[in-house]
């Protein structure tokens, strides 16, 4: 047995397993069976690892060190941006120490790992969150103060990472935080978008404009470029069938996937997990021959084509090019991630048949579904496993989270596009049906039911034929879950009903979403977090790691002194929001008014349209009042924020209407002190962190049965904002926890929705007859009270004609709910009690609880503490 290894061999090796292959080396083991690796002097290696910087003198020295060596700057020319970058690098050093120790621990223990595949990770700013989880915020605050900088000013220098857009991505970010905090070996995999989704601008006429989001304009100190972790990803070409169900896929285009790692620190633990992001690069970037021949466009064609894959999140798929680019994104990301997962698994030395014992992969919605045929390709074509054995491994590895019951939102890809771009995968999808005999098994269980066969097939017949990704995700996964109790039940009853009847109900379950209390309580609302800690007489870690501990606040609900302090925190948060709006938009906000907030991605089912119609109704009602009557009205400020997809015309019209209504009512001298309206552009996590703590009420008003869960409702309620909403998604479970007397429900229930839509379609009633208040509002808009009424005709016609999302059915009930809010707000003491009770009962909605549900009931994952 060799006692040392030639360092040149190590440079060639990709892993310890590879070292064994290259050298025949067999390592000695200690009493615990752990390998000893005599590569150099182990003591020297250990002593070379810098300690975590925890004391203020060490912190200032570390920051100054990075100013001089990483930034090559001096104190006399250092601005806030430079100070932020140096502080971030110093903080990253601490993260790296824990990150390296965590990865070494996982490699030694070889626990089962879970991988969370999400097309979005809406991470927000990192510095504040990293310092919070490291427990070093006070020390870094003191250290930067000694250097002449304010830590809060430095935090403001950071741009939000452009890696997501809405609730799907924010949920993924919360789950990564909770996985590390709960000491679970979980990695995330996503894409490193150069320009994110887009930067939202508002034009002079109120329209949304989209500009690139240059979030990587300055070096990102939170990512580590991994030029040593690259994979070749193939597109196009042809797949030649071989014996035993195998095939050889060759030709076409190859691009390079390069890894970037983002450290995910756990709270009050050393455990630091990883988010690995992939960037597309050309395999051969610059065509020198074409350049020398004067063909400059062709010289960079391959480079541009490859880099476009990770340029933007959700490229507009209304064009053939955009549709192909989106499919390219999804395969590029899943193929690179699976190659990386397989490499890591093989480093354990286990046989590939044990893959599901060491690997669980969660598909966050249908976007990563191509991972299923990709793993089949790897197992059958590369590992040469029999088809049946490979399919068994696949079905025990994947888990699928569904996020919608809207049929139009379930992904489908044209068969022709798939055959051209991914010919081998299209073969595998056909083989899943024929070789595994899926439809034959359905036919055997339900003989003669041709309609069922058509619904359950992976291929939707028609022109063009489509591949149904939700069906593929369902049959290729071990378990399928929804994200709220109502949503999961609707999944079982509607879009997955046939599969439930085929597999049995045990495959279909629920994991109600959650949010991380670290970011969504302590980080965004430190005043409230401090008050809770002082009142409960416990360290913050007690309730930030166990949110159920907030129930201790119920003992203080009737304490006038506590109520006063609670109200003071809310008022302070309102003033912080007002200062932000004045500094960014130049607008003054009445901080003594009720704050009413709706912040969501713009979509018809989320019904921002009903909210703005309600604002107009309130405005018209105020105009009808006498001055004396107006003195009895609660002043109210309404806030909207959210982005509309670039190709979503109706959603963009809604934004335009909101902006133009705001211009009119905010300048009306009769009403502006009683009602004002603001649309805050370019919604992001850091803006949400200012808006949410300031809210008195928040609106979650989707048509019943359309919102899978929602997580913004949880964030608002955790921060003491009361909920106005439909009986939908997680609203139901929030009401169960906090008590229906502390929420304001309205609208039709889910069972009535389809019947009402049928009535609208076949027995329409004029809107003037069905809902006169809404008819008046629509007429005022159409007649030009808020600008050119003709512009809004397409939006108004969605209500007048089909009204698929039932505004006419729910509007009267909605207005009555808002009147109840006004009445309740008059009694300020009782309102504060409702606010306290709401926060106190939010324990269930921690993402710590949700991620443990996945770990225990789905992934069979054990907690692995680094120590």
């Amino acid at each position: 047995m060799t006692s040392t290894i030639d360092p040149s061999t190590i440079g060639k090796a990709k892993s310890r397993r590879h070292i064994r292959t290259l050298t025949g080396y067999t390592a000695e083991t200690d009493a615990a069976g752990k390998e000893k690796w005599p590569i150099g002097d182990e003591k020297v290696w250990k002593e070379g690892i810098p300690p975590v910087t925890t004391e203020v003198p060490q912190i200032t020295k570390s920051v100054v060190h990075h100013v001089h060596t990483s930034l090559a700057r001096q104190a006399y020319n250092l601005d806030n941006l430079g100070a932020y970058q140096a502080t971030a690098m110093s903080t990253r050093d601490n993260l790296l120490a824990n990150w390296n120790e965590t990865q070494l621990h996982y490699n030694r223990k070889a626990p089962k790992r879970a991988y969370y595949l999400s097309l979005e990770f809406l991470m927000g700013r990192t510095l504040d969150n990293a310092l919070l989880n490291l427990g070093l915020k006070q020390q870094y605050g003191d250290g930067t103060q000694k250097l002449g900088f304010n830590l809060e000013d430095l935090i403001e220098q950071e741009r939000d990472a452009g890696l997501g857009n809405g609730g799907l991505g924010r949920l993924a970010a919360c789950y990564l935080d909770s996985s590390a905090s709960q000491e679970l070996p979980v990695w995330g995999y996503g894409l490193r978008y150069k320009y994110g989704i887009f930067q939202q601008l508002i034009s002079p006429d109120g329209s949304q404009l989209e500009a690139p989001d240059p979030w990587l304009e300055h070096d990102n100190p939170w990512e580590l470029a991994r030029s040593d972790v690259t994979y070749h990803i193939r597109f196009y070409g042809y797949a030649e069938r071989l014996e035993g169900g195998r095939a050889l896929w060759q030709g076409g285009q190859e691009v390079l996937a390069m890894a970037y790692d983002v450290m995910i620190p756990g709270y009050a633990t050393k455990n630091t997990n990883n988010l690995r992001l992939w960037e597309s690069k050309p395999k051969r970037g610059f065509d020198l021959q074409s350049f020398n021949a004067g063909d400059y466009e062709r010289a960079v064609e391959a480079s541009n084509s490859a880099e476009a894959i990770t340029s933007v999140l959700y490229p507009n798929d209304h064009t053939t090019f955009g549709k192909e680019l989106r499919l390219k994104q999804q395969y590029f990301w899943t193929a690179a991630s699976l190659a990386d997962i397989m490499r890591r698994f093989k480093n354990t030395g286990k046989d590939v048949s044990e893959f599901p014992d060491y690997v669980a992969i969660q598909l966050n919605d249908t976007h990563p579904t191509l991972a299923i045929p990709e793993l089949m390709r790897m197992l059958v074509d590369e590992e040469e496993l029999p088809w049946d054995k490979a399919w068994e491994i696949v079905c025990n590895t994947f888990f699928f989270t569904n996020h919608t019951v809207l049929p139009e939102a379930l992904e489908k890809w044209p068969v022709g596009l798939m055959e051209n771009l991914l010919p081998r995968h299209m073969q595998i999808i056909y083989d899943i049906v024929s070789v595994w005999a899926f439809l034959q098994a359905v036919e055997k269980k339900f003989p003669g039911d041709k309609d069922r066969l058509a619904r359950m097939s992976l291929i939707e017949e028609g022109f063009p034929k489509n591949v149904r990704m939700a069906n593929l995700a369902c049959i290729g996964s071990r378990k399928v879950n929804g994200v709220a109790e109502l949503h999961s039940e609707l999944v079982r009853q509607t879009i997955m009903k046939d599969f439930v009847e085929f597999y049995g109900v045990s495959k279909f379950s629920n994991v109600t979403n959650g949010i991380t209390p670290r970011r969504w309580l302590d980080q965004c609302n430190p005043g409230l977090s401090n008050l809770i800690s002082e009142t409960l007489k416990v360290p913050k870690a007690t309730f930030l790691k166990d949110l159920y501990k907030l129930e201790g606040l119920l003992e203080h609900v009737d304490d006038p002194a506590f109520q006063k302090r609670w109200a003071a925190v809310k008022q302070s948060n309102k003033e912080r929001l007002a200062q932000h709006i004045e500094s960014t938009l130049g607008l003054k906000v009445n901080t003594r008014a009720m704050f009413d907030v709706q912040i969501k991605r713009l979509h018809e089912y989320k019904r921002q349209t009903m909210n703005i119609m309600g604002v107009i109704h309130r405005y018209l009602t105020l105009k009808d009042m006498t001055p004396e009557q107006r003195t009895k009205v609660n002043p109210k400020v309404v806030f909207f924020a959210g982005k509309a997809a670039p190709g979503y015309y109706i959603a963009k019209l809604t934004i335009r209407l909101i902006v133009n209504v705001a211009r009119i009512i905010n300048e009306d001298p009769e009403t502006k002190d009683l009602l004002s309206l603001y649309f805050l552009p370019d919604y992001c996590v850091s803006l949400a962190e200012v808006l949410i703590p300031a809210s008195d009420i928040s609106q979650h008003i989707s048509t019943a049965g359309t919102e899978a869960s929602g997580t913004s409702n949880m964030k608002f309620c955790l921060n003491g904002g009361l909920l106005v909403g439909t009986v939908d998604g997680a609203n139901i479970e929030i009401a169960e926890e906090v008590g229906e007397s502390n929420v304001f429900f309205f609208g039709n229930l889910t069972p009535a929705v389809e019947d009402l839509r049928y009535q609208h379609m076949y027995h329409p009633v004029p809107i003037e007859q069905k809902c006169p208040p809404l008819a008046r509002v629509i007429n005022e808009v159409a007649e030009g009270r808020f600008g050119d009424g003709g512009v809004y005709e397409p939006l108004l016609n969605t209500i007048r004609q089909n009204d698929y999302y039932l505004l006419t059915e729910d509007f009267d009930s909605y207005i009555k709910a808002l009147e109840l809010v006004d009445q309740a707000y008059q009694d300020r003491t009782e309102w504060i009690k409702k606010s306290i009770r709401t926060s106190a009962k939010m324990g269930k909605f921690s993402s710590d609880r949700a991620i443990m549900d996945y770990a225990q009931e789905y992934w069979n994952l054990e907690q692995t503490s680094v120590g």
Side-chain angles (χ1 to χ4, degrees):
M1 183 185 74
T2 310
S3 60
T4 60
I5 299 177
D6 184 351
S8 65
T9 301
I10 299 168
K12 299 173 186 175
K14 299 292 185 184
S15 64
R16 290 182 176 180
R17 187 168 182 251
H18 196 191
I19 291 174
R20 297 187 190 101
T21 303
L22 291 173
T23 65
Y25 174 78
T26 303
E28 295 182 19
T29 56
D30 60 19
K34 185 173 67 178
E35 292 180 343
K36 297 177 181 178
W37 287 84
I39 303 173
D41 189 326
E42 185 174 1
K43 181 180 179 183
V44 172
W45 277 98
K46 285 186 175 180
E47 288 179 350
I49 299 174
V52 173
T53 306
T54 59
E55 302 298 328
V56 172
Q58 294 175 308
I59 289 169
T60 54
K61 183 178 180 180
S62 171
V63 172
V64 170
H65 169 77
H66 280 291
V67 169
H68 289 162
T69 62
S70 301
L71 303 181
R73 297 179 71 169
Q74 299 294 329
Y76 64 83
N77 73 344
L78 189 66
D79 55 8
N80 276 345
L81 176 60
Y84 155 72
Q85 291 172 322
T87 303
M89 291 173 185
S90 171
T91 305
R92 190 184 71 176
D93 288 346
N94 289 331
L95 293 180
L96 274 169
N98 290 342
W99 186 89
N100 278 315
E101 190 171 345
T102 302
Q103 305 321 308
L104 180 61
H105 182 76
Y106 288 167
N107 289 337
R108 285 175 173 170
K109 293 291 184 181
K112 183 176 184 179
R113 298 186 188 219
Y115 300 96
Y116 198 84
L117 269 59
S118 180
L119 202 56
E120 296 184 42
F121 287 92
L122 197 58
M123 305 302 293
R125 290 170 172 160
T126 299
L127 176 57
D128 198 12
N129 183 251
L131 292 176
L132 168 64
N133 283 10
L134 286 166
L136 295 175
K137 191 168 181 179
Q138 181 63 51
Q139 293 93 317
Y140 267 81
D142 293 343
T144 53
Q145 189 73 42
K146 287 183 178 296
L147 295 172
F149 294 93
N150 181 280
L151 181 61
E152 296 303 320
D153 293 337
L154 304 189
I155 289 170
E156 290 292 321
Q157 294 296 312
E158 183 178 353
R159 291 185 72 101
D160 280 39
L163 301 174
N165 177 41
L168 183 85
R170 187 52 236 172
L171 178 73
C174 284
Y175 281 171
L176 292 187
D177 177 89
S178 285
S179 295
S181 297
Q182 294 297 303
E183 301 180 330
L184 295 168
V186 177
W187 273 33
Y189 278 104
L191 290 176
R192 183 182 184 264
Y193 304 105
K194 186 175 182 180
Y195 295 112
I197 184 164
F198 59 82
Q199 185 176 3
Q200 183 189 52
L201 306 173
I202 302 299
S203 72
D205 69 1
S207 300
Q208 170 182 289
L209 300 177
E210 299 91 27
D213 177 14
W215 73 282
L216 291 171
E217 180 181 11
H218 303 288
D219 288 342
N220 179 10
W222 305 110
E223 65 182 12
L224 297 171
R226 294 292 194 187
S227 58
D228 58 323
V229 182
T230 59
Y231 300 97
H232 291 176
I233 309 299
R234 185 182 304 278
F235 300 104
Y236 311 110
Y238 61 94
E240 178 185 352
R241 292 278 194 175
L242 304 174
E243 294 181 1
R246 297 176 58 237
L248 179 63
W249 183 20
Q250 53 190 337
Q253 176 193 25
E254 276 191 295
V255 301
L256 208 61
M258 176 177 157
Y260 286 78
D261 286 346
V262 179
M263 292 157 284
I264 309 295
Y267 177 75
T269 174
K270 278 189 177 181
N271 285 56
T272 302
N273 288 341
N274 197 50
L275 168 60
R276 178 155 285 179
L277 303 171
W278 300 107
E279 181 176 80
S280 55
K281 294 180 177 294
K283 188 176 178 182
R284 295 178 184 86
F286 186 73
D287 185 347
L288 186 59
Q289 288 184 337
S290 296
F291 181 81
N292 288 336
D295 191 346
Y296 305 126
E297 289 187 6
R298 188 171 182 180
V300 296
E301 181 180 358
S303 178
N304 292 340
S305 173
E307 291 174 357
I309 295 173
T310 53
S311 287
V312 296
L313 169 64
Y314 297 140
N316 190 341
D317 61 359
H318 289 187
T319 65
T320 301
F321 172 79
K323 192 179 292 290
E324 181 173 293
L325 183 55
R326 284 189 70 160
L327 187 58
K328 265 189 170 183
Q329 275 189 342
Q330 293 186 8
Y331 178 64
F332 171 85
W333 154 53
T334 53
S337 301
L338 276 173
D340 200 49
I341 292 167
M342 182 63 77
R343 174 191 59 79
R344 191 171 300 109
F345 167 76
K346 286 189 172 183
N347 285 345
T348 66
K350 305 294 181 182
D351 188 85
V352 73
S353 63
E354 298 180 77
F355 192 76
D357 297 328
Y358 288 86
V359 173
I361 302 175
Q362 189 72 40
L363 307 176
N364 192 29
D365 213 354
T366 54
H367 307 131
T369 304
L370 283 170
I372 291 172
E374 173 64 7
L375 183 55
M376 282 298 293
R377 185 193 67 79
M378 295 169 71
L379 295 174
V380 173
D381 295 355
E382 296 177 4
E383 302 298 326
E384 301 186 11
L385 289 184
W387 178 275
D388 289 347
K389 182 60 180 175
W391 184 247
E392 180 185 352
I393 290 172
V394 166
C395 292
N396 283 299
T397 296
F398 289 104
F399 301 83
F400 169 47
T401 299
N402 170 276
H403 284 276
T404 183
V405 293
L406 301 177
E408 66 271 19
L410 298 176
E411 275 194 315
K412 300 173 186 176
W413 292 107
V415 169
L417 173 60
M418 187 85 77
E419 286 176 332
N420 180 49
L421 188 68
L422 303 169
R424 176 56 179 143
H425 297 76
M426 198 63 241
Q427 288 180 351
I428 290 170
I429 289 169
Y430 278 127
D431 287 348
I432 290 172
V433 177
S434 59
V435 177
W436 184 58
F438 171 61
L439 290 184
Q440 291 91 324
V442 175
E443 167 67 23
K444 183 177 180 181
K445 189 166 185 177
F446 304 100
D449 194 341
K450 293 183 179 180
D451 289 341
R452 184 186 297 267
L453 289 175
R455 292 191 303 266
M456 295 181 71
S457 175
L458 301 186
I459 309 299
E460 179 184 61
E461 299 297 330
F463 184 79
K465 291 183 178 180
N466 286 304
V467 180
R468 294 168 166 148
M469 304 309 281
N471 288 15
L472 178 57
C474 179
I475 70 171
S477 296
R478 184 170 179 176
K479 296 193 77 171
V480 177
N481 73 279
V483 291
E485 289 175 1
L486 174 64
H487 169 244
S488 297
E489 184 59 30
L490 289 173
V491 168
R492 291 189 286 265
Q493 292 176 359
T494 57
I495 57 173
M496 293 293 172
K497 184 175 186 291
D498 294 317
F499 294 94
V500 172
E501 293 173 355
F502 177 70
Y503 287 110
V505 74
S506 61
K507 180 169 179 169
F508 301 85
S509 190
N510 173 64
V511 179
T512 297
N513 285 343
I515 58 172
T516 168
R518 271 75 64 180
R519 182 178 292 271
W520 296 112
L521 176 56
D522 191 66
Q523 183 176 325
C524 76
N525 199 347
L528 185 60
S529 184
N530 292 336
L531 175 59
I532 292 171
S533 178
E534 294 169 16
T535 302
L536 298 182
K537 295 181 173 58
V538 296
K540 290 183 181 181
T542 302
F543 56 87
L544 293 180
K545 291 282 285 229
D546 181 2
L547 204 55
Y548 285 103
K549 291 290 194 297
L550 292 186
E551 291 190 11
L553 295 174
L554 295 175
E555 298 177 9
H556 304 274
V557 167
D558 296 319
D559 180 356
F562 179 61
Q563 294 167 5
K564 185 176 180 180
R565 295 184 69 191
W566 187 276
V569 169
K570 179 66 70 177
Q571 185 61 34
S572 175
N573 288 327
K574 287 183 174 183
E575 290 166 2
R576 179 178 64 162
L577 173 59
Q579 289 168 4
H580 172 80
I581 293 172
E582 185 170 5
S583 65
T584 55
L585 301 178
L587 303 172
K588 290 189 177 295
V589 177
N590 177 10
T591 60
R592 292 297 170 182
M594 177 199 299
F595 279 19
D596 177 343
V597 184
Q598 186 180 23
I599 46 175
K600 294 177 183 291
R601 173 173 58 92
L602 268 289
H603 197 289
E604 289 171 272
Y605 87 83
K606 295 180 183 288
R607 300 204 293 193
Q608 284 95 345
T609 307
M610 185 159 72
N611 191 344
I612 187 57
M613 295 293 171
V615 173
I616 296 171
H617 175 270
R618 189 181 186 93
Y619 172 65
L620 297 176
T621 302
L622 286 169
K623 294 291 286 183
D624 290 340
M625 289 180 177
T626 66
E628 183 180 353
Q629 289 173 322
R630 291 185 195 131
T631 62
K632 300 176 183 178
V633 175
N634 290 322
K636 188 176 187 180
V637 183
V638 180
F639 299 94
F640 285 88
K643 295 179 180 180
Y648 197 165
Y649 182 61
I650 296 299
K652 294 176 80 169
L653 271 183
T654 304
I655 292 176
R656 185 169 180 174
L657 179 60
I658 293 168
V659 172
N660 285 309
V661 169
R663 287 173 176 162
I664 298 299
I665 68 174
N666 290 356
E667 296 300 322
D668 191 322
E670 292 183 341
T671 62
K672 66 179 182 180
D673 292 333
L674 296 175
L675 178 64
S676 52
L677 170 65
Y678 301 92
F679 184 88
L680 307 184
D682 209 30
Y683 178 57
C684 58
V685 174
S686 54
L687 177 56
E689 291 172 5
V690 181
L691 271 164
I692 288 170
S695 77
D696 291 301
I697 62 170
S698 61
Q699 299 204 27
H700 311 274
I701 56 179
S702 54
T703 308
T706 59
E707 182 68 80
S709 168
T711 53
S712 66
N713 46 9
M714 303 170 189
K715 296 161 192 165
F716 281 106
C717 291
L718 179 59
N719 285 273
L722 303 191
L723 185 154
V724 176
T726 47
V727 185
D728 194 31
N731 290 354
I732 300 168
E733 292 165 71
I734 289 174
E736 289 171 352
E737 295 295 311
V738 308
E740 288 198 22
S741 62
N742 296 308
V743 301
F744 299 90
F745 274 148
F746 72 93
N748 285 279
L749 304 182
T750 301
V753 168
E754 287 307 315
D755 287 341
L756 290 169
R757 285 175 175 159
Y758 179 87
Q759 294 294 327
H760 276 266
M761 182 70 69
Y762 297 105
H763 305 284
V765 176
I767 189 171
E768 290 79 7
Q769 181 179 336
K770 177 170 287 187
C771 186
L774 181 57
R776 182 190 180 195
V777 170
I778 289 174
N779 289 338
E780 291 285 344
V781 174
E783 291 171 5
R785 186 157 189 165
F786 305 100
D788 184 359
V791 169
Y792 302 112
E793 282 299 305
L795 172 62
L796 302 179
N797 284 338
T798 64
I799 307 170
R800 291 172 176 147
Q801 295 171 6
N802 187 27
D803 193 20
Y804 186 79
Y805 294 108
L806 305 182
L807 273 70
T808 54
E809 298 292 343
D810 285 352
F811 192 74
D812 285 337
S813 176
Y814 173 63
I815 295 303
K816 289 178 182 175
L818 294 179
E819 289 172 356
L820 290 175
V821 170
D822 283 327
Q823 293 171 18
Y825 198 73
Q826 296 283 2
D827 186 342
R828 300 294 292 127
T829 298
E830 186 56 36
W831 183 274
I832 293 167
K833 290 182 180 180
K834 288 177 179 290
S835 175
I836 297 168
R837 293 188 193 107
T838 298
S839 294
K841 295 296 289 184
M842 292 302 292
K844 174 182 177 179
F845 303 102
S846 169
S847 51
D848 293 351
R849 183 272 312 155
I851 208 67
M852 288 304 295
D853 285 351
Y854 280 112
Q856 295 171 358
E857 299 175 23
Y858 292 73
W859 305 332
N860 191 28
L861 214 63
E862 295 182 357
Q863 291 174 288
T864 305
S865 176
V866 173

